[in-house]
Amino acid sequence: MPSLFEAYVTNAGKYAEGQLVGETLKFPTSKEEVQALLKRIRVDGVRYEEYFITSFDGDVLGLYDHLYEYASLDELNHLACLLSELTPEDIATFEAVINKGDHTSSVAELINLAQNLDCYEFFPGVDDDETLGRIYADELEAINIPEDLKNYFDYEAYGRDVRLNEGGHFAPGGYVRATGGKFMEHYHGPEDIPPEHKVFAYPKLNIREQMAAYKEVSDKAAMGPAKPAPEQDHDNR
């Protein structure tokens, strides 16, 4: 399954000690990939238990602007799996809606948006009021213009009125508007994530690794407080 976006997963405990220890995780992912990554960055449930995400990037235009540092890996993977099932036309609609700013305040909202794209209509390549006015007047025939007056009709003004009246938005790639359909809240929380989309799990340590981990924790406790964290150098893009 091709990657749609990626997150730089950082060991929160190491960061608090003054070290930036993390790796890039591509979504959709698997439980095995997550366990392997967490083991490499030493978030194993013994030495360290917490992670956060320092940055996001990806191929879904603008999505990374609406993902946050303490996002759940399970929710992120569920979102990625849903997006991977969409057609290119649906992805373009999704990108336009998030550019408009609808349903972007949390990963949960983005998950619900991915399942409610029929509540929006996207017109690719429409990027100004005049073009919008011509589509509504000439193609959709939303207004009856006598043939002998078409050369004098102000399509731009008409398109602007259409856009304002229906709350439409020019996004990169085209024009998007809500259809007025009922937006259904399919996702309410982690309990709604299918088991096959859940990926967070601490790595399994063998006996030798467990003993080494507990010894490291004990030694660290004896050393006293940690150094302050460094400046973050993987800014959100």
Side-chain angles (χ1 to χ4, degrees), residues 61-62 92 95-96 98-100 122 124-127 169-175:
L61 185 64
E95 291 174 337
I98 63 174
N99 183 265
K100 185 175 184 292
F122 181 63
V126 178
D127 58 4
H169 174 74
F170 292 120
Y175 175 78

Side-chain angles (χ1 to χ4, degrees), residues 66-108:
H66 305 291
L67 301 176
Y68 305 98
E69 60 183 351
Y70 294 108
S72 155
L73 296 186
D74 287 339
E75 282 196 333
L76 290 173
N77 195 58
H78 184 39
L79 173 61
C81 289
L82 291 174
L83 293 177
S84 70
E85 297 171 358
L86 299 180
T87 66
E89 292 76 17
D90 286 337
I91 289 290
T93 302
F94 182 85
E95 291 174 337
V97 176
I98 63 174
N99 183 265
K100 185 175 184 292
D102 290 0
H103 311 290
T104 59
S105 66
S106 66
V107 178

Side-chain angles (χ1 to χ4, degrees), residues 9 11 14 21-23 25 31-48 51 73 200-210 212-213 216:
V9 182
N11 182 323
K14 280 288 188 183
V21 178
E23 283 190 21
L25 180 64
K31 184 176 292 186
E32 292 73 22
E33 289 173 333
V34 169
Q35 287 180 308
L37 182 147
L38 292 179
K39 187 173 184 179
R40 289 194 297 271
I41 69 172
R42 302 167 73 80
V43 177
D44 54 19
V46 180
R47 296 179 179 92
Y48 301 94
Y51 69 88
L73 296 186
F200 178 79
Y202 288 121
K204 296 178 181 179
L205 304 179
N206 60 38
I207 296 298
R208 180 176 294 179
E209 290 170 331
Q210 290 180 39
E216 184 176 324

Side-chain angles (χ1 to χ4, degrees), residues 48-63:
Y48 301 94
E49 298 181 353
E50 302 295 330
Y51 69 88
F52 71 103
I53 297 171
T54 316
S55 65
F56 292 91
D57 203 352
D59 295 331
V60 181
L61 185 64
L63 176 61

Side-chain angles (χ1 to χ4, degrees), residues 65-169:
D65 292 328
H66 305 291
L67 301 176
Y68 305 98
E69 60 183 351
Y70 294 108
S72 155
L73 296 186
D74 287 339
E75 282 196 333
L76 290 173
N77 195 58
H78 184 39
L79 173 61
C81 289
L82 291 174
L83 293 177
S84 70
E85 297 171 358
L86 299 180
T87 66
E89 292 76 17
D90 286 337
I91 289 290
T93 302
F94 182 85
E95 291 174 337
V97 176
I98 63 174
N99 183 265
K100 185 175 184 292
D102 290 0
H103 311 290
T104 59
S105 66
S106 66
V107 178
E109 285 203 357
L110 292 165
I111 288 170
N112 276 310
L113 173 60
Q115 299 174 91
N116 281 276
L117 293 176
D118 56 345
C119 293
Y120 291 88
E121 186 171 13
F122 181 63
F123 298 82
V126 178
D127 58 4
D128 58 59
D129 288 326
E130 181 178 355
T131 305
L132 181 65
R134 288 186 180 278
I135 287 176
Y136 269 68
D138 297 342
E139 296 183 21
L140 301 180
E141 298 181 343
I143 186 174
N144 184 23
I145 308 171
E147 194 66 34
D148 57 344
L149 295 180
K150 285 188 175 182
N151 289 336
Y152 305 98
F153 186 74
D154 192 339
Y155 286 99
E156 182 178 3
Y158 175 61
R160 181 171 59 253
D161 287 346
V162 167
R163 174 172 54 82
L164 294 175
N165 289 336
E166 64 186 15
H169 174 74

